Amino acid sequence: MHIAEGILSPAQCAVWYAAAAPFVIHGGYRVVKEVKEHPENKLLLATAGAFTFVLSAIKLPSVTGSSSHPTGTGVGAALFKPPVMAFLGMIVLIFQALLLAHGGMSTLGANTFSMAIVGPWAGYGCYKLTKKCHGPDALAIFLCMVFSDFVTYVVTSFQLAFAFPDPTGGFWGAVGKFLTIFAWTQIPLALAEGLLGILLFRFLAKVAAPQLQQLGVLAGSPEVAHA
């Protein structure tokens, strides 16, 4: 998912920066508001950011100019809703670009759009749908983590297809190729991330139950704790 420096043209980089900017600005506002109104949730915010940083720093070689790894954004999406993850995810990607050479500053907009914006919204949608259908908390978290991860790579495939259309199949041919290549590594990674998410929320249900209740997350926390 980390599209490296020099892979996208300056015009494409500018388009993805423009697409990501409103979500990040709104996310920054939501983070500031959350900290001011609920300072007791600072540790949970830090946990969401740290979890995303650690998981998305696990880098496996994938298609040219990119890599495969978990994303971890489903945690923040479930806890604080996707707008917050737009801001936290961008901060994570900046540190990774500067300190770990994962991704790049020119491609920050594209990487933010896939991992910190679309991915969390997809995962959160699965989370809310599962809860609306009265599914178990563990399943809601699992699906949130899995789809936050996998949809990120769907978006990345489209981004790379725009940059590198297939000589014969064009844009859609390139989309199919990128999706196929990513699927080999990303599907098992997404499933593993879903299981890890259940373990994390099992821990949080034990140590931060009041905060989870205040956030309206996991009304059946004991179910997760014993899932």
Side-chain angles (χ1 to χ4, degrees):
M1 187 288 302
H2 287 112
I3 300 177
E5 294 280 13
I7 297 300
L8 303 181
S9 69
Q12 290 171 333
C13 291
V15 167
W16 291 116
Y17 261 102
F23 295 93
V24 173
I25 293 171
H26 179 230
Y29 165 77
R30 291 291 296 271
V31 169
V32 172
K33 182 178 180 182
E34 180 67 32
V35 170
K36 286 184 177 180
E37 294 181 355
H38 304 286
E40 68 276 10
N41 290 336
K42 288 181 181 178
L43 287 179
L44 281 179
L45 274 169
T47 298
F51 188 78
T52 298
F53 180 87
V54 171
L55 256 68
S56 58
I58 301 172
K59 185 178 180 181
L60 301 174
S62 187
V63 298
T64 301
S66 189
S67 57
S68 289
H69 53 79
T71 64
T73 56
V75 170
L79 286 173
F80 297 103
K81 299 183 175 56
V84 168
M85 278 315 302
F87 182 77
L88 292 182
M90 184 201 68
I91 298 300
V92 164
L93 288 167
I94 289 174
F95 275 100
Q96 289 179 344
L98 297 177
L99 302 179
L100 303 177
H102 290 186
M105 295 306 296
S106 67
T107 55
L108 178 64
N111 291 333
T112 298
F113 192 83
S114 61
M115 190 183 94
I117 297 171
V118 181
W121 272 109
Y124 184 72
C126 293
Y127 172 81
K128 293 297 288 184
L129 180 61
T130 305
K131 298 295 290 180
K132 187 175 182 179
C133 294
H134 306 289
D137 290 339
L139 178 61
I141 292 300
F142 178 81
L143 293 177
C144 183
M145 301 295 291
V146 169
F147 280 90
S148 293
D149 180 310
F150 190 72
V151 171
T152 294
Y153 284 83
V154 173
V155 176
T156 299
S157 296
F158 276 81
Q159 291 172 324
L160 292 174
F162 277 120
F164 304 102
D166 186 75
T168 56
F171 169 74
W172 289 108
V175 168
K177 288 183 178 180
F178 284 124
L179 284 173
T180 301
I181 295 172
F182 274 132
W184 288 102
T185 52
Q186 210 54 42
I187 289 178
L189 277 176
L191 294 174
E193 185 173 339
L195 296 175
L196 184 59
I198 292 175
L199 294 177
L200 176 62
F201 274 86
R202 176 188 298 178
F203 172 76
L204 292 177
K206 293 180 179 179
V207 302
Q211 287 86 351
L212 293 180
Q213 292 172 0
Q214 178 265 314
L215 288 167
V217 177
L218 300 176
S221 295
E223 181 181 344
V224 174
H226 297 92

